[in-house]
């Protein structure tokens, strides 16, 4: 499993001495993020994912992470990417208490960085250890049986 960093920013809108408004970052905090089995379970419990498998994560997004903001289709759902990033933070941080809404209020990165992190989170999930176990499990479950329940090799 590869671990990435998500930076959350507490912000406030203030009025300047010229009568204009500007956004000011009050505080930033970094959190580790990685897709874990716990992330997937939480995703199912919150209704973000249909099930608790990695294929459920892949199924909720338009999976072209190389797109730039101006290339996105009108129906592009950035929220799906943000929800997966939220699950990656919640799943690895036992004491993380922000709701999805509060997380989204503080997670303010450009769209292309969000889609890139989403792709990296998936790659991290399929890191060498998970990939081998996944492939081995898939291979074992798809071997043809011959005769009375014996597997054909």
């Amino acid at each position: 499993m590869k671990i990435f960093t998500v930076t959350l920013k507490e912000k406030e809108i203030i009025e300047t001495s010229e009568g204009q408004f500007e956004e000011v970052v009050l505080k930033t905090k970094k959190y580790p993020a990685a897709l874990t089995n716990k992330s997937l379970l939480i995703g199912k419990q919150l209704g973000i994912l249909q099930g608790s498998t990695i294929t459920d994560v892949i199924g909720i997004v338009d999976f072209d992470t190389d797109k730039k903001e101006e290339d996105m289709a009108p129906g592009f759902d950035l929220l799906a990417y943000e929800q997966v990033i939220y699950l990656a933070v919640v799943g690895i941080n036992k004491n993380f208490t922000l709701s999805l809404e509060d997380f989204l209020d503080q997670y303010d990165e450009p769209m292309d960085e969000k889609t890139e992190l989403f792709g990296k989170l998936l790659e991290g999930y399929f890191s060498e250890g998970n990939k081998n176990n996944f492939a081995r499990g898939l291979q074992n479950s798809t071997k043809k049986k011959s005769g009375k329940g014996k597997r054909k090799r």
Side-chain angles (χ1 to χ4, degrees):
M1 164 178 57
K2 292 183 183 177
I3 300 174
F4 302 93
T5 302
V6 170
T7 302
L8 300 183
K9 303 170 189 164
E10 288 185 33
K11 301 170 282 188
E12 182 177 78
I13 305 292
I14 62 165
E15 187 173 0
T16 65
S17 57
E18 297 84 34
Q20 302 295 317
F21 293 94
E22 71 178 38
E23 187 176 66
V24 177
V25 176
L26 303 174
K27 184 170 105 176
T28 61
K29 185 163 182 184
K30 293 182 178 185
Y31 292 92
L35 285 176
T36 63
N37 290 335
K38 183 178 176 186
S39 302
L40 302 176
L41 176 62
I42 292 170
K44 181 180 178 182
Q45 291 171 339
L46 294 176
I48 294 171
L49 302 175
Q50 293 292 322
S52 59
T53 66
I54 196 67
T55 56
D56 295 303
V57 172
I58 295 168
I60 68 169
V61 297
D62 174 10
F63 196 59
D64 187 355
T65 58
D66 291 330
K67 289 183 180 179
K68 299 291 181 217
E69 188 166 356
E70 60 273 8
D71 298 328
M72 297 296 177
F76 174 74
D77 186 9
L78 182 61
L79 179 59
Y81 288 84
E82 293 167 331
Q83 289 172 325
V84 171
I85 294 168
Y86 172 73
L87 294 176
V89 173
V90 171
I92 201 167
N93 294 283
K94 294 179 188 210
N95 298 321
F96 190 79
T97 59
L98 289 180
S99 67
L100 175 60
E101 184 178 338
D102 291 336
F103 173 83
L104 294 175
D105 187 45
Q106 294 183 28
Y107 183 57
D108 186 25
E109 298 298 333
M111 182 184 295
D112 58 339
E113 288 184 27
K114 290 176 183 178
T115 57
E116 182 180 344
L117 177 58
F118 172 84
K120 287 180 178 179
L121 288 168
L122 280 178
E123 286 176 19
Y125 183 84
F126 289 110
S127 65
E128 203 54 42
N130 280 340
K131 191 185 319 177
N132 289 341
N133 290 336
F134 178 76
R136 194 176 305 116
L138 182 61
Q139 187 179 34
N140 288 339
S141 69
T142 58
K143 287 182 180 174
K144 294 190 178 202
K145 294 181 179 180
S146 64
K148 299 179 180 177
K150 294 184 180 180
R151 292 185 178 192
K152 187 178 189 178
R153 297 207 186 242

